[in-house]
Amino acid sequence: MVQYPVIGIAYGCRYYMPPLKQLLSFTLLPHHHPHPHQLSFSSCFHLPKNLNRLLTGNSLFSRMERYWAGNGINKNKAMVEHLEHYGVIKSKKVAEVMETIDRALFVPDGTPPYVDSPMAIGYNATISAPHMHATCLQLLEENLQPGMHALDVGSGTGYLTACFALMVGPQGRAVGVEHIPELLTSSIKNIEKSAAAALLKEGSLSVHVGDGREGWPVFAPYDAIHVGAAAPEIPQPLIDQLKPGGRMVIPVGNIFQDLKVVEKNLDGSVSVRSETSVRYVPLTSRDAQLRGY
Ligand code: SAH
């Protein structure tokens, strides 16, 4: 019998998401779906909420996590292969880029880098889960061709900005905007250790302190915009800075959030669709984010 992974919500940033994919792939039957070949674990599986709670942190789960951690899943390449195996990574290009940018260089010391979960990076922020990074790279792939311009709003650790930079190459431009200066400083150190270091040095990759809700007009218009934090609504400056033919991926909502795919058509009109349910930290002011931190 074919067995598929199971997931409820695709986790970007905020809450701990245990690697239930592995655990449940051989404990539960596949969720019914008319097109099994198109299954992606970020959008097609629905784990009953109570079961999710029941399994999170219980002893079986802990044992399974140790099992996976001890069997090579804690390697960047293995993580990428795992995401390919479950159909989250669909293209060779995205796999190559995620293999080239080692996630371990972007997580704080002592944090397991390859577990498919968001991880705290300080300042009430998190690095998104690998499956969310992969999902967003897949959604934006066509708009991350060599020479194109990409904007990463809420660039945090710099992981995705570095991936964008490799995809658009030295003739393109990858721009990160982050409103916590300390995170920006550490993102530069992370990128400097990574395969994107040369692009940062020569300037096709840059990261800036700023309010990402305003975008980064200097290098606009953008073929691709990624927003790594959930906005109550899509900020108009980001729509304005999207090139005709461009695509933006942005989580929208408060408690219930959807990952929206925004396309600017060649005539300038804009269409929006929902890709999947997600959980991200809010796209907000610096003060609001640091409240209580
Ligand atoms: N995509 C990044 C970080 C995701 S967490 C990664 O995976 O590493 C969301 C990030 O958005 C945090 O770093 C947070 O500080 C930042 N953020 C939230 N509101 C913002 C705003 N208005 N402008 C810029 N950055 C913002």
Side-chain angles (χ1 to χ4, degrees):
M1 186 192 308
V2 186
Q3 294 195 323
Y4 296 117
V6 180
I7 193 169
I9 288 177
Y11 282 70
C13 292
R14 184 175 235 171
Y15 300 108
Y16 177 67
M17 177 59 187
L20 284 171
K21 279 74 64 186
Q22 304 96 321
L23 174 61
L24 293 171
S25 60
F26 45 87
T27 57
L28 291 183
L29 298 179
H31 186 76
H32 172 74
H33 194 285
H35 302 292
H37 297 298
Q38 294 168 8
L39 293 175
S40 117
F41 69 38
S42 64
S43 57
C44 297
F45 293 99
H46 303 281
L47 177 66
K49 278 194 185 112
N50 293 340
L51 183 59
N52 191 346
R53 272 193 219 112
L54 194 72
L55 288 169
T56 303
N58 74 9
S59 59
L60 170 63
F61 168 72
S62 306
R63 280 203 301 277
M64 290 308 297
E65 180 150 35
R66 276 201 298 277
Y67 169 82
W68 283 103
N71 280 273
I73 201 76
N74 58 341
K75 300 279 188 294
N76 197 58
K77 195 169 172 17
M79 178 194 81
V80 172
E81 284 168 359
H82 188 73
L83 293 167
E84 282 181 289
H85 179 76
Y86 285 115
V88 182
I89 296 178
K90 301 179 180 77
S91 80
K92 216 170 157 234
K93 184 80 203 160
V94 169
E96 267 172 23
V97 165
M98 288 186 69
E99 275 180 28
T100 308
I101 301 292
D102 185 355
R103 201 178 160 82
L105 302 173
F106 291 82
V107 301
D109 287 348
T111 303
Y114 308 119
V115 173
D116 195 12
S117 167
M119 298 286 170
I121 57 172
Y123 308 94
N124 287 334
T126 53
I127 180 168
S128 298
H131 73 267
M132 271 327 296
H133 282 150
T135 298
C136 292
L137 284 167
Q138 280 302 154
L139 286 169
L140 291 170
E141 185 183 11
E142 280 173 32
N143 295 72
L144 293 168
Q145 302 295 322
M148 290 185 166
H149 284 204
L151 175 67
D152 185 20
V153 171
S155 48
T157 60
Y159 174 84
L160 215 47
T161 327
C163 292
F164 290 168
L166 282 198
M167 290 180 83
V168 300
Q171 309 304 324
R173 194 162 272 287
V175 182
V177 181
E178 168 58 53
H179 69 166
I180 307 288
E182 292 87 345
L183 286 179
L184 193 100
T185 304
S186 66
S187 76
I188 292 171
K189 290 187 187 132
N190 299 339
I191 295 167
E192 280 171 345
K193 283 182 262 168
S194 80
L199 299 169
L200 180 70
K201 201 167 175 205
E202 76 195 23
S204 66
L205 192 184
S206 59
V207 287
H208 310 269
V209 174
D211 187 340
R213 294 172 293 189
E214 300 301 323
W216 198 258
V218 188
F219 300 119
Y222 297 98
D223 300 276
I225 298 181
H226 168 263
V227 183
E233 54 197 40
I234 304 169
Q236 188 60 41
L238 298 184
I239 296 175
D240 295 343
Q241 288 170 37
L242 200 58
K243 194 182 271 186
R247 181 180 258 211
M248 167 159 53
V249 173
I250 176 169
V252 178
N254 296 304
I255 297 171
F256 298 101
Q257 304 167 2
D258 277 332
L259 190 67
K260 302 272 188 194
V261 178
V262 181
E263 322 247 21
K264 190 178 269 188
N265 304 311
L266 293 177
D267 64 3
S269 62
V270 170
S271 50
V272 182
R273 69 174 172 83
S274 288
E275 174 72 14
T276 183
S277 296
V278 288
R279 293 277 177 88
Y280 278 76
V281 297
L283 185 73
T284 185
S285 69
R286 196 183 301 163
D287 284 352
Q289 182 172 324
L290 295 178
R291 211 161 284 151
Y293 180 68

PDB file of all heavy atoms in Angstrom, residues 223-258:
ATOM      1  N   ASP A 223      10.885  40.928 -10.104  1.00  0.00           N
ATOM      2  CA  ASP A 223      10.236  39.777 -10.748  1.00  0.00           C
ATOM      3  C   ASP A 223       9.637  38.861  -9.685  1.00  0.00           C
ATOM      4  O   ASP A 223       8.631  38.192  -9.933  1.00  0.00           O
ATOM      5  CB  ASP A 223      11.278  38.990 -11.548  1.00  0.00           C
ATOM      6  CG  ASP A 223      11.927  39.844 -12.624  1.00  0.00           C
ATOM      7  OD1 ASP A 223      11.357  39.959 -13.709  1.00  0.00           O
ATOM      8  OD2 ASP A 223      13.004  40.441 -12.348  1.00  0.00           O
ATOM      9  N   ALA A 224      10.306  38.815  -8.538  1.00  0.00           N
ATOM     10  CA  ALA A 224       9.856  37.932  -7.456  1.00  0.00           C
ATOM     11  C   ALA A 224       9.908  38.692  -6.139  1.00  0.00           C
ATOM     12  O   ALA A 224      10.886  39.380  -5.851  1.00  0.00           O
ATOM     13  CB  ALA A 224      10.762  36.703  -7.363  1.00  0.00           C
ATOM     14  N   ILE A 225       8.836  38.582  -5.356  1.00  0.00           N
ATOM     15  CA  ILE A 225       8.849  39.132  -3.991  1.00  0.00           C
ATOM     16  C   ILE A 225       8.413  38.011  -3.056  1.00  0.00           C
ATOM     17  O   ILE A 225       7.385  37.345  -3.293  1.00  0.00           O
ATOM     18  CB  ILE A 225       7.917  40.354  -3.833  1.00  0.00           C
ATOM     19  CG1 ILE A 225       8.360  41.504  -4.753  1.00  0.00           C
ATOM     20  CG2 ILE A 225       7.896  40.817  -2.372  1.00  0.00           C
ATOM     21  CD1 ILE A 225       7.509  42.774  -4.650  1.00  0.00           C
ATOM     22  N   HIS A 226       9.225  37.795  -2.026  1.00  0.00           N
ATOM     23  CA  HIS A 226       8.847  36.842  -0.985  1.00  0.00           C
ATOM     24  C   HIS A 226       8.684  37.615   0.317  1.00  0.00           C
ATOM     25  O   HIS A 226       9.526  38.453   0.650  1.00  0.00           O
ATOM     26  CB  HIS A 226       9.946  35.791  -0.801  1.00  0.00           C
ATOM     27  CG  HIS A 226       9.774  34.958   0.431  1.00  0.00           C
ATOM     28  ND1 HIS A 226      10.437  35.230   1.626  1.00  0.00           N
ATOM     29  CD2 HIS A 226       8.988  33.888   0.680  1.00  0.00           C
ATOM     30  CE1 HIS A 226      10.077  34.337   2.526  1.00  0.00           C
ATOM     31  NE2 HIS A 226       9.203  33.518   1.991  1.00  0.00           N
ATOM     32  N   VAL A 227       7.614  37.345   1.025  1.00  0.00           N
ATOM     33  CA  VAL A 227       7.433  37.969   2.338  1.00  0.00           C
ATOM     34  C   VAL A 227       7.458  36.841   3.372  1.00  0.00           C
ATOM     35  O   VAL A 227       6.683  35.889   3.290  1.00  0.00           O
ATOM     36  CB  VAL A 227       6.115  38.775   2.399  1.00  0.00           C
ATOM     37  CG1 VAL A 227       5.984  39.476   3.744  1.00  0.00           C
ATOM     38  CG2 VAL A 227       6.070  39.800   1.264  1.00  0.00           C
ATOM     39  N   GLY A 228       8.364  36.969   4.333  1.00  0.00           N
ATOM     40  CA  GLY A 228       8.576  35.896   5.306  1.00  0.00           C
ATOM     41  C   GLY A 228       7.843  36.106   6.612  1.00  0.00           C
ATOM     42  O   GLY A 228       8.154  35.454   7.606  1.00  0.00           O
ATOM     43  N   ALA A 229       6.873  37.019   6.633  1.00  0.00           N
ATOM     44  CA  ALA A 229       6.080  37.272   7.839  1.00  0.00           C
ATOM     45  C   ALA A 229       4.663  37.599   7.383  1.00  0.00           C
ATOM     46  O   ALA A 229       4.461  38.131   6.284  1.00  0.00           O
ATOM     47  CB  ALA A 229       6.691  38.430   8.626  1.00  0.00           C
ATOM     48  N   ALA A 230       3.680  37.289   8.255  1.00  0.00           N
ATOM     49  CA  ALA A 230       2.281  37.373   7.822  1.00  0.00           C
ATOM     50  C   ALA A 230       1.724  38.789   7.950  1.00  0.00           C
ATOM     51  O   ALA A 230       1.770  39.395   9.025  1.00  0.00           O
ATOM     52  CB  ALA A 230       1.429  36.408   8.635  1.00  0.00           C
ATOM     53  N   ALA A 231       1.197  39.289   6.858  1.00  0.00           N
ATOM     54  CA  ALA A 231       0.634  40.638   6.830  1.00  0.00           C
ATOM     55  C   ALA A 231      -0.882  40.560   7.014  1.00  0.00           C
ATOM     56  O   ALA A 231      -1.516  39.635   6.512  1.00  0.00           O
ATOM     57  CB  ALA A 231       0.939  41.275   5.476  1.00  0.00           C
ATOM     58  N   PRO A 232      -1.463  41.537   7.735  1.00  0.00           N
ATOM     59  CA  PRO A 232      -2.932  41.538   7.850  1.00  0.00           C
ATOM     60  C   PRO A 232      -3.579  41.700   6.471  1.00  0.00           C
ATOM     61  O   PRO A 232      -4.621  41.130   6.203  1.00  0.00           O
ATOM     62  CB  PRO A 232      -3.245  42.732   8.756  1.00  0.00           C
ATOM     63  CG  PRO A 232      -1.946  43.423   9.039  1.00  0.00           C
ATOM     64  CD  PRO A 232      -0.814  42.614   8.470  1.00  0.00           C
ATOM     65  N   GLU A 233      -2.934  42.493   5.624  1.00  0.00           N
ATOM     66  CA  GLU A 233      -3.342  42.567   4.220  1.00  0.00           C
ATOM     67  C   GLU A 233      -2.111  42.853   3.360  1.00  0.00           C
ATOM     68  O   GLU A 233      -1.063  43.234   3.896  1.00  0.00           O
ATOM     69  CB  GLU A 233      -4.416  43.630   4.003  1.00  0.00           C
ATOM     70  CG  GLU A 233      -4.025  44.976   4.529  1.00  0.00           C
ATOM     71  CD  GLU A 233      -5.235  45.906   4.682  1.00  0.00           C
ATOM     72  OE1 GLU A 233      -6.302  45.428   5.114  1.00  0.00           O
ATOM     73  OE2 GLU A 233      -5.078  47.080   4.354  1.00  0.00           O
ATOM     74  N   ILE A 234      -2.255  42.659   2.070  1.00  0.00           N
ATOM     75  CA  ILE A 234      -1.072  42.788   1.201  1.00  0.00           C
ATOM     76  C   ILE A 234      -0.672  44.258   1.109  1.00  0.00           C
ATOM     77  O   ILE A 234      -1.468  45.093   0.675  1.00  0.00           O
ATOM     78  CB  ILE A 234      -1.370  42.229  -0.204  1.00  0.00           C
ATOM     79  CG1 ILE A 234      -1.836  40.777  -0.113  1.00  0.00           C
ATOM     80  CG2 ILE A 234      -0.129  42.342  -1.094  1.00  0.00           C
ATOM     81  CD1 ILE A 234      -2.399  40.209  -1.407  1.00  0.00           C
ATOM     82  N   PRO A 235       0.553  44.611   1.537  1.00  0.00           N
ATOM     83  CA  PRO A 235       0.950  46.029   1.494  1.00  0.00           C
ATOM     84  C   PRO A 235       1.006  46.554   0.054  1.00  0.00           C
ATOM     85  O   PRO A 235       1.622  45.932  -0.818  1.00  0.00           O
ATOM     86  CB  PRO A 235       2.356  46.016   2.123  1.00  0.00           C
ATOM     87  CG  PRO A 235       2.432  44.747   2.917  1.00  0.00           C
ATOM     88  CD  PRO A 235       1.585  43.758   2.166  1.00  0.00           C
ATOM     89  N   GLN A 236       0.362  47.689  -0.152  1.00  0.00           N
ATOM     90  CA  GLN A 236       0.307  48.277  -1.502  1.00  0.00           C
ATOM     91  C   GLN A 236       1.688  48.549  -2.095  1.00  0.00           C
ATOM     92  O   GLN A 236       1.907  48.283  -3.293  1.00  0.00           O
ATOM     93  CB  GLN A 236      -0.548  49.560  -1.480  1.00  0.00           C
ATOM     94  CG  GLN A 236      -0.837  50.145  -2.857  1.00  0.00           C
ATOM     95  CD  GLN A 236      -1.598  49.190  -3.791  1.00  0.00           C
ATOM     96  OE1 GLN A 236      -2.522  48.495  -3.362  1.00  0.00           O
ATOM     97  NE2 GLN A 236      -1.197  49.140  -5.059  1.00  0.00           N
ATOM     98  N   PRO A 237       2.671  49.066  -1.294  1.00  0.00           N
ATOM     99  CA  PRO A 237       3.985  49.316  -1.900  1.00  0.00           C
ATOM    100  C   PRO A 237       4.600  48.056  -2.516  1.00  0.00           C
ATOM    101  O   PRO A 237       5.321  48.142  -3.503  1.00  0.00           O
ATOM    102  CB  PRO A 237       4.833  49.813  -0.714  1.00  0.00           C
ATOM    103  CG  PRO A 237       3.844  50.373   0.251  1.00  0.00           C
ATOM    104  CD  PRO A 237       2.612  49.524   0.113  1.00  0.00           C
ATOM    105  N   LEU A 238       4.293  46.890  -1.926  1.00  0.00           N
ATOM    106  CA  LEU A 238       4.850  45.648  -2.488  1.00  0.00           C
ATOM    107  C   LEU A 238       4.188  45.329  -3.832  1.00  0.00           C
ATOM    108  O   LEU A 238       4.850  44.891  -4.776  1.00  0.00           O
ATOM    109  CB  LEU A 238       4.684  44.493  -1.503  1.00  0.00           C
ATOM    110  CG  LEU A 238       5.413  44.647  -0.165  1.00  0.00           C
ATOM    111  CD1 LEU A 238       5.257  43.392   0.689  1.00  0.00           C
ATOM    112  CD2 LEU A 238       6.896  44.944  -0.378  1.00  0.00           C
ATOM    113  N   ILE A 239       2.895  45.573  -3.905  1.00  0.00           N
ATOM    114  CA  ILE A 239       2.205  45.368  -5.194  1.00  0.00           C
ATOM    115  C   ILE A 239       2.771  46.335  -6.229  1.00  0.00           C
ATOM    116  O   ILE A 239       3.051  45.960  -7.370  1.00  0.00           O
ATOM    117  CB  ILE A 239       0.677  45.565  -5.029  1.00  0.00           C
ATOM    118  CG1 ILE A 239       0.114  44.485  -4.084  1.00  0.00           C
ATOM    119  CG2 ILE A 239      -0.036  45.525  -6.385  1.00  0.00           C
ATOM    120  CD1 ILE A 239      -1.350  44.644  -3.747  1.00  0.00           C
ATOM    121  N   ASP A 240       2.982  47.582  -5.789  1.00  0.00           N
ATOM    122  CA  ASP A 240       3.503  48.599  -6.715  1.00  0.00           C
ATOM    123  C   ASP A 240       4.897  48.219  -7.223  1.00  0.00           C
ATOM    124  O   ASP A 240       5.246  48.541  -8.359  1.00  0.00           O
ATOM    125  CB  ASP A 240       3.586  49.970  -6.020  1.00  0.00           C
ATOM    126  CG  ASP A 240       2.212  50.505  -5.647  1.00  0.00           C
ATOM    127  OD1 ASP A 240       1.208  49.993  -6.202  1.00  0.00           O
ATOM    128  OD2 ASP A 240       2.134  51.412  -4.784  1.00  0.00           O
ATOM    129  N   GLN A 241       5.682  47.567  -6.363  1.00  0.00           N
ATOM    130  CA  GLN A 241       7.076  47.262  -6.744  1.00  0.00           C
ATOM    131  C   GLN A 241       7.214  45.938  -7.491  1.00  0.00           C
ATOM    132  O   GLN A 241       8.323  45.514  -7.828  1.00  0.00           O
ATOM    133  CB  GLN A 241       7.968  47.285  -5.498  1.00  0.00           C
ATOM    134  CG  GLN A 241       8.178  48.697  -4.981  1.00  0.00           C
ATOM    135  CD  GLN A 241       8.845  48.759  -3.617  1.00  0.00           C
ATOM    136  OE1 GLN A 241       9.727  47.968  -3.308  1.00  0.00           O
ATOM    137  NE2 GLN A 241       8.414  49.707  -2.800  1.00  0.00           N
ATOM    138  N   LEU A 242       6.082  45.278  -7.731  1.00  0.00           N
ATOM    139  CA  LEU A 242       6.096  44.033  -8.510  1.00  0.00           C
ATOM    140  C   LEU A 242       6.073  44.383  -9.994  1.00  0.00           C
ATOM    141  O   LEU A 242       5.268  45.213 -10.430  1.00  0.00           O
ATOM    142  CB  LEU A 242       4.870  43.203  -8.110  1.00  0.00           C
ATOM    143  CG  LEU A 242       4.856  41.714  -8.402  1.00  0.00           C
ATOM    144  CD1 LEU A 242       6.040  40.992  -7.741  1.00  0.00           C
ATOM    145  CD2 LEU A 242       3.530  41.112  -7.899  1.00  0.00           C
ATOM    146  N   LYS A 243       6.949  43.737 -10.738  1.00  0.00           N
ATOM    147  CA  LYS A 243       7.010  43.989 -12.182  1.00  0.00           C
ATOM    148  C   LYS A 243       5.797  43.353 -12.869  1.00  0.00           C
ATOM    149  O   LYS A 243       5.340  42.294 -12.410  1.00  0.00           O
ATOM    150  CB  LYS A 243       8.300  43.320 -12.697  1.00  0.00           C
ATOM    151  CG  LYS A 243       8.732  43.713 -14.076  1.00  0.00           C
ATOM    152  CD  LYS A 243       9.990  42.946 -14.485  1.00  0.00           C
ATOM    153  CE  LYS A 243      11.254  43.658 -14.072  1.00  0.00           C
ATOM    154  NZ  LYS A 243      12.472  42.999 -14.574  1.00  0.00           N
ATOM    155  N   PRO A 244       5.278  43.928 -13.946  1.00  0.00           N
ATOM    156  CA  PRO A 244       4.269  43.191 -14.720  1.00  0.00           C
ATOM    157  C   PRO A 244       4.868  41.843 -15.146  1.00  0.00           C
ATOM    158  O   PRO A 244       6.006  41.794 -15.626  1.00  0.00           O
ATOM    159  CB  PRO A 244       4.002  44.104 -15.924  1.00  0.00           C
ATOM    160  CG  PRO A 244       4.349  45.475 -15.416  1.00  0.00           C
ATOM    161  CD  PRO A 244       5.510  45.283 -14.470  1.00  0.00           C
ATOM    162  N   GLY A 245       4.144  40.769 -14.915  1.00  0.00           N
ATOM    163  CA  GLY A 245       4.695  39.429 -15.136  1.00  0.00           C
ATOM    164  C   GLY A 245       5.361  38.883 -13.875  1.00  0.00           C
ATOM    165  O   GLY A 245       5.798  37.733 -13.850  1.00  0.00           O
ATOM    166  N   GLY A 246       5.417  39.700 -12.834  1.00  0.00           N
ATOM    167  CA  GLY A 246       6.076  39.295 -11.586  1.00  0.00           C
ATOM    168  C   GLY A 246       5.140  38.536 -10.660  1.00  0.00           C
ATOM    169  O   GLY A 246       3.919  38.539 -10.831  1.00  0.00           O
ATOM    170  N   ARG A 247       5.736  37.911  -9.658  1.00  0.00           N
ATOM    171  CA  ARG A 247       4.959  37.087  -8.723  1.00  0.00           C
ATOM    172  C   ARG A 247       5.423  37.337  -7.294  1.00  0.00           C
ATOM    173  O   ARG A 247       6.623  37.433  -7.028  1.00  0.00           O
ATOM    174  CB  ARG A 247       5.175  35.629  -9.094  1.00  0.00           C
ATOM    175  CG  ARG A 247       4.423  34.659  -8.249  1.00  0.00           C
ATOM    176  CD  ARG A 247       4.721  33.258  -8.721  1.00  0.00           C
ATOM    177  NE  ARG A 247       3.626  32.755  -9.524  1.00  0.00           N
ATOM    178  CZ  ARG A 247       3.287  31.456  -9.584  1.00  0.00           C
ATOM    179  NH1 ARG A 247       3.978  30.556  -8.925  1.00  0.00           N
ATOM    180  NH2 ARG A 247       2.262  31.068 -10.302  1.00  0.00           N
ATOM    181  N   MET A 248       4.454  37.469  -6.412  1.00  0.00           N
ATOM    182  CA  MET A 248       4.773  37.643  -4.981  1.00  0.00           C
ATOM    183  C   MET A 248       4.152  36.489  -4.192  1.00  0.00           C
ATOM    184  O   MET A 248       3.015  36.082  -4.458  1.00  0.00           O
ATOM    185  CB  MET A 248       4.193  38.981  -4.485  1.00  0.00           C
ATOM    186  CG  MET A 248       4.184  39.119  -2.973  1.00  0.00           C
ATOM    187  SD  MET A 248       4.077  40.837  -2.385  1.00  0.00           S
ATOM    188  CE  MET A 248       2.649  41.475  -3.237  1.00  0.00           C
ATOM    189  N   VAL A 249       4.901  35.983  -3.215  1.00  0.00           N
ATOM    190  CA  VAL A 249       4.381  34.954  -2.309  1.00  0.00           C
ATOM    191  C   VAL A 249       4.363  35.573  -0.920  1.00  0.00           C
ATOM    192  O   VAL A 249       5.401  36.010  -0.416  1.00  0.00           O
ATOM    193  CB  VAL A 249       5.280  33.699  -2.354  1.00  0.00           C
ATOM    194  CG1 VAL A 249       4.854  32.694  -1.313  1.00  0.00           C
ATOM    195  CG2 VAL A 249       5.230  33.079  -3.739  1.00  0.00           C
ATOM    196  N   ILE A 250       3.195  35.630  -0.311  1.00  0.00           N
ATOM    197  CA  ILE A 250       3.051  36.361   0.953  1.00  0.00           C
ATOM    198  C   ILE A 250       2.001  35.689   1.848  1.00  0.00           C
ATOM    199  O   ILE A 250       0.874  35.430   1.402  1.00  0.00           O
ATOM    200  CB  ILE A 250       2.679  37.851   0.678  1.00  0.00           C
ATOM    201  CG1 ILE A 250       2.425  38.615   1.987  1.00  0.00           C
ATOM    202  CG2 ILE A 250       1.473  37.988  -0.270  1.00  0.00           C
ATOM    203  CD1 ILE A 250       2.312  40.126   1.807  1.00  0.00           C
ATOM    204  N   PRO A 251       2.375  35.395   3.098  1.00  0.00           N
ATOM    205  CA  PRO A 251       1.358  34.898   4.023  1.00  0.00           C
ATOM    206  C   PRO A 251       0.456  36.061   4.466  1.00  0.00           C
ATOM    207  O   PRO A 251       0.967  37.134   4.809  1.00  0.00           O
ATOM    208  CB  PRO A 251       2.174  34.353   5.202  1.00  0.00           C
ATOM    209  CG  PRO A 251       3.533  34.947   5.082  1.00  0.00           C
ATOM    210  CD  PRO A 251       3.708  35.503   3.709  1.00  0.00           C
ATOM    211  N   VAL A 252      -0.838  35.841   4.441  1.00  0.00           N
ATOM    212  CA  VAL A 252      -1.782  36.902   4.797  1.00  0.00           C
ATOM    213  C   VAL A 252      -2.755  36.378   5.842  1.00  0.00           C
ATOM    214  O   VAL A 252      -3.303  35.277   5.695  1.00  0.00           O
ATOM    215  CB  VAL A 252      -2.564  37.394   3.556  1.00  0.00           C
ATOM    216  CG1 VAL A 252      -3.573  38.467   3.949  1.00  0.00           C
ATOM    217  CG2 VAL A 252      -1.605  37.951   2.502  1.00  0.00           C
ATOM    218  N   GLY A 253      -2.953  37.174   6.904  1.00  0.00           N
ATOM    219  CA  GLY A 253      -3.914  36.802   7.935  1.00  0.00           C
ATOM    220  C   GLY A 253      -3.322  37.031   9.314  1.00  0.00           C
ATOM    221  O   GLY A 253      -2.162  37.436   9.455  1.00  0.00           O
ATOM    222  N   ASN A 254      -4.142  36.783  10.324  1.00  0.00           N
ATOM    223  CA  ASN A 254      -3.678  36.935  11.690  1.00  0.00           C
ATOM    224  C   ASN A 254      -3.506  35.552  12.325  1.00  0.00           C
ATOM    225  O   ASN A 254      -2.453  34.951  12.210  1.00  0.00           O
ATOM    226  CB  ASN A 254      -4.644  37.827  12.473  1.00  0.00           C
ATOM    227  CG  ASN A 254      -4.649  39.243  11.882  1.00  0.00           C
ATOM    228  OD1 ASN A 254      -3.607  39.864  11.786  1.00  0.00           O
ATOM    229  ND2 ASN A 254      -5.802  39.725  11.449  1.00  0.00           N
ATOM    230  N   ILE A 255      -4.580  35.056  12.961  1.00  0.00           N
ATOM    231  CA  ILE A 255      -4.471  33.717  13.538  1.00  0.00           C
ATOM    232  C   ILE A 255      -4.532  32.669  12.425  1.00  0.00           C
ATOM    233  O   ILE A 255      -3.737  31.755  12.343  1.00  0.00           O
ATOM    234  CB  ILE A 255      -5.579  33.486  14.583  1.00  0.00           C
ATOM    235  CG1 ILE A 255      -5.392  34.485  15.723  1.00  0.00           C
ATOM    236  CG2 ILE A 255      -5.520  32.050  15.128  1.00  0.00           C
ATOM    237  CD1 ILE A 255      -6.529  34.524  16.712  1.00  0.00           C
ATOM    238  N   PHE A 256      -5.507  32.849  11.541  1.00  0.00           N
ATOM    239  CA  PHE A 256      -5.604  31.961  10.384  1.00  0.00           C
ATOM    240  C   PHE A 256      -4.949  32.670   9.209  1.00  0.00           C
ATOM    241  O   PHE A 256      -5.327  33.799   8.878  1.00  0.00           O
ATOM    242  CB  PHE A 256      -7.067  31.630  10.074  1.00  0.00           C
ATOM    243  CG  PHE A 256      -7.722  30.916  11.205  1.00  0.00           C
ATOM    244  CD1 PHE A 256      -8.567  31.595  12.082  1.00  0.00           C
ATOM    245  CD2 PHE A 256      -7.474  29.567  11.431  1.00  0.00           C
ATOM    246  CE1 PHE A 256      -9.150  30.935  13.150  1.00  0.00           C
ATOM    247  CE2 PHE A 256      -8.053  28.904  12.501  1.00  0.00           C
ATOM    248  CZ  PHE A 256      -8.898  29.590  13.362  1.00  0.00           C
ATOM    249  N   GLN A 257      -3.974  32.025   8.662  1.00  0.00           N
ATOM    250  CA  GLN A 257      -3.223  32.660   7.575  1.00  0.00           C
ATOM    251  C   GLN A 257      -3.200  31.760   6.344  1.00  0.00           C
ATOM    252  O   GLN A 257      -3.152  30.544   6.463  1.00  0.00           O
ATOM    253  CB  GLN A 257      -1.769  32.907   7.998  1.00  0.00           C
ATOM    254  CG  GLN A 257      -1.602  33.716   9.261  1.00  0.00           C
ATOM    255  CD  GLN A 257      -0.167  33.654   9.794  1.00  0.00           C
ATOM    256  OE1 GLN A 257       0.711  33.038   9.192  1.00  0.00           O
ATOM    257  NE2 GLN A 257       0.069  34.287  10.918  1.00  0.00           N
ATOM    258  N   ASP A 258      -3.197  32.419   5.188  1.00  0.00           N
ATOM    259  CA  ASP A 258      -3.044  31.713   3.918  1.00  0.00           C
ATOM    260  C   ASP A 258      -1.803  32.215   3.220  1.00  0.00           C
ATOM    261  O   ASP A 258      -1.539  33.424   3.225  1.00  0.00           O
ATOM    262  CB  ASP A 258      -4.231  32.010   2.991  1.00  0.00           C
ATOM    263  CG  ASP A 258      -5.414  31.127   3.294  1.00  0.00           C
ATOM    264  OD1 ASP A 258      -5.199  30.004   3.784  1.00  0.00           O
ATOM    265  OD2 ASP A 258      -6.542  31.576   3.043  1.00  0.00           O
TER     266      ASP A 258
END
